[in-house]
Amino acid sequence: MTETDPKMYDVVVLGAGPVGENVADRTRAAGLSTAIVESELVGGECSYWACMPSKALLRPAIARADARRVPGLRHLVQGDLDAPAVLAHRDDYTSHWKDDGQVGWLEGIGADLYRGQGRLAGPRRVTVTGPDSEVTTLAARHAVAVATGTRALLPPLPGIADIRPWTSREATSAQSVPGRLVVVGGGVVATEMATAWRALGSRVTVLVRGKGLLPRMEPFAGELIAEALTEAGVDLRTGTSVTAVARVDGTVVVDTDRGDRIEADEILFATGRAPHTDDIGLDTVGLTPGSWLSVDDSLRVTGTDWLYGVGDVNHRALLTHQGKYQARIAGAAIAARAQGVPILETDRWGAHAATADHAAVPQVVFTDPEAAAVGLSFAEAEETGRQVRAVDVEFASVAGAGLYADGYRGHARMVVDLDRQILLGVTFVGPGVGELIHSATVAVAAEVPIDRLWHAVPSYPTVSEVWLRLLEAYRQG
């Protein structure tokens, strides 16, 4: 196949992770012929190296921790986790790193899969270099959607590649439990993997350059999780940077700026993400290779009328559920434009605008305790110049929390816009709060007035009664 004889499609999607799959699903449902290109496994990072394997590793640890807080049960769960069983369960959830099921799903919706490295080759053109080095050219009548995600970002330490460090991929796919593990970073991946591997028996040391954990959430979230990790036996060191790493006779040797030398079997760098756009031909359409893609609310790349940047590549919200949300919006927008339907860019509640990425992004950190948040933190809300107030309660005041776990420890905060009387953000920290955050997401995304929230009565006795306590605290203040 040559450049002069491309295979024609209405839409071409680069990347067959959850985001690319959802774009293809929506465009196919609208009757548009769609090709999707993938260089690795269909199903992407979330299915094989992120969301699914990490939560499969964490679930036994959290279930055991919850059981240990229940009278009449705690004495039965004092032993170690069955590490081989946990790892086998994780392998099942990754389909043993085989994508047959995902490929079958793509075939079921009628999308054509091209395996290989996809690159833009000018406007509405994509070349695919297959495993056999054969090059196929695809042409898109209406749109090309880039959904190639991100990759782990390693710090520029001399010799770091030579020590074969773990990134999030190795941390979620390892086939044995390291005796000693150093985790570098203080964000979501660092805290979740420290939780999982400590529960599986590793002696874990966490090195955090900043003052605390989870710096993008309310300060109390990082503080409560730091306390819990320390109680679990994690050696947590804040204000500490790695200055050198080496692997000597199989042992990782880590030097820090505080003069410490730490030895471990493995080291995980959870130090950020970079866009996976360095080798997809951005230069052929006037964009910078390796850059984040700037997009409008319909996910169309700034300055183009055919190119879309969906999911992590646009840096709006590096979360699978937000990427899938964007994909649904992008697919609808592509279909509407293909059919000549006008899109109102100012319609923030419409089907073609990804407005939740600005104000109502939910996230759960699956540590013990869990941390869950949506919208703005108090500090972020203050920075907007609005008149705001933080309302705080301890979960100890909630009857359902005590029933859920003996000695339940947790904290809740809602951030109120005093002028509009709506919620700008909500944060929960405590066992099981991941299942609470959607109620907060509805309140924030829908801009439900506080006066109306009084009529959303929580069931008694559940942990959700924290909502009543928050509203009471707001009224009393």
Side-chain angles (χ1 to χ4, degrees):
M1 190 64 58
T2 67
E3 179 68 27
T4 57
D5 188 22
K7 293 187 176 182
M8 293 294 301
Y9 290 90
D10 293 319
V11 180
V12 176
V13 182
L14 286 182
V19 175
E21 288 177 323
N22 272 269
V23 173
D25 188 33
R26 290 306 168 101
T27 56
R28 284 297 302 130
L32 301 178
S33 60
T34 301
I36 189 165
V37 183
E38 178 54 57
S39 62
E40 294 186 292
L41 295 175
V42 175
E45 200 79 12
C46 178
S47 298
Y48 305 104
W49 300 285
C51 322
M52 300 309 290
S54 67
K55 303 318 170 277
L57 290 173
L58 285 158
R59 180 59 193 151
I62 294 172
R64 182 182 65 172
D66 281 346
R68 285 176 171 177
R69 301 184 184 104
V70 179
L73 181 60
R74 61 168 59 96
H75 68 286
L76 299 175
V77 287
Q78 291 304 313
D80 296 332
L81 291 175
D82 183 342
V86 173
L87 297 180
H89 175 65
R90 183 272 320 272
D91 292 351
D92 288 343
Y93 261 85
T94 61
S95 301
H96 298 267
W97 291 275
K98 295 180 181 178
D99 62 2
D100 297 359
Q102 299 280 9
V103 171
W105 180 85
L106 279 180
E107 292 173 348
I109 66 170
D112 289 348
L113 171 64
Y114 290 83
R115 289 192 182 272
Q117 176 62 52
R119 296 180 180 87
L120 294 167
R124 295 184 173 83
R125 287 287 194 277
V126 171
T127 60
V128 184
T129 304
D132 56 1
S133 298
E134 181 179 352
V135 177
T136 302
T137 300
L138 310 176
R141 295 184 185 89
H142 299 296
V144 174
V146 176
T148 48
T150 60
R151 56 179 174 80
L153 186 64
L154 293 173
L157 289 169
I160 189 171
D162 298 331
I163 70 165
R164 304 180 306 281
W166 279 9
T167 66
S168 54
R169 283 197 168 195
E170 291 76 20
T172 57
S173 62
Q175 292 299 310
S176 61
V177 179
R180 301 163 298 174
L181 173 66
V182 171
V183 178
V184 182
V188 176
V189 171
T191 53
E192 288 189 346
M193 290 298 95
T195 299
W197 289 109
R198 177 68 194 111
L200 286 166
S202 288
R203 297 196 301 277
V204 178
T205 301
V206 178
L207 306 178
V208 186
R209 182 173 58 183
K211 296 180 180 180
L213 302 176
L214 302 177
R216 296 186 179 181
M217 300 184 83
E218 297 283 8
F220 62 81
E223 292 165 4
L224 287 169
I225 290 171
E227 290 176 10
L229 285 173
T230 301
E231 289 175 4
V234 171
D235 181 0
L236 175 61
R237 308 183 191 186
T238 58
T240 302
S241 295
V242 175
T243 57
V245 290
R247 194 179 284 269
V248 181
D249 296 328
T251 297
V252 176
V253 180
V254 183
D255 292 326
T256 76
D257 61 352
R258 304 184 75 168
D260 298 323
R261 173 161 286 192
I262 306 165
E263 294 187 352
D265 299 290
E266 300 293 348
I267 183 169
L268 163 62
F269 283 94
T271 48
R273 308 288 297 180
H276 207 245
T277 60
D278 48 314
D279 190 27
I280 62 167
L282 290 184
D283 54 307
T284 69
V285 294
L287 299 172
T288 303
S291 64
W292 303 100
L293 299 181
S294 174
V295 299
D296 62 20
D297 282 347
S298 71
L299 290 311
R300 190 164 57 176
V301 173
T302 304
T304 76
D305 62 359
W306 60 274
L307 184 62
Y308 291 73
V310 194
D312 286 4
V313 292
N314 60 42
H315 206 238
R316 286 162 66 116
L318 306 188
L319 296 161
T320 297
H321 48 276
Q322 291 299 127
K324 291 165 70 174
Y325 160 74
Q326 291 180 11
R328 295 189 291 270
I329 298 294
I334 290 168
R337 289 180 172 128
Q339 296 161 7
V341 176
I343 293 177
L344 298 178
E345 302 292 350
T346 57
D347 182 11
R348 68 190 186 101
W349 300 113
H352 309 115
T355 53
D357 291 345
H358 301 305
V361 176
Q363 181 174 22
V364 179
V365 185
F366 292 86
T367 46
D368 174 41
E370 292 178 347
V374 62
L376 302 179
S377 68
F378 181 58
E380 290 170 336
E382 282 192 314
E383 289 172 3
T384 68
R386 284 176 274 202
Q387 295 295 313
V388 295
R389 177 184 161 202
V391 181
D392 293 86
V393 299
E394 299 293 330
F395 273 96
S397 66
V398 179
L403 290 169
Y404 184 97
D406 209 16
Y408 189 111
R409 285 189 297 171
H411 190 90
R413 168 176 287 182
M414 66 181 190
V415 180
V416 180
D417 183 323
L418 295 176
D419 292 326
R420 299 183 63 198
Q421 289 291 294
I422 60 171
L423 303 186
L424 299 176
V426 179
T427 300
F428 300 125
V429 180
V433 296
E435 296 299 338
L436 275 181
I437 200 61
H438 190 61
S439 58
T441 302
V442 171
V444 173
E447 300 179 351
V448 180
I450 285 182
D451 284 348
R452 290 297 302 156
L453 286 177
W454 278 101
H455 299 281
V457 181
S459 299
Y460 180 88
T462 65
V463 181
S464 293
E465 201 179 13
V466 70
W467 280 106
L468 177 57
R469 301 290 169 251
L470 284 166
L471 293 169
E472 288 173 340
Y474 177 67
R475 177 171 287 179
Q476 292 166 6

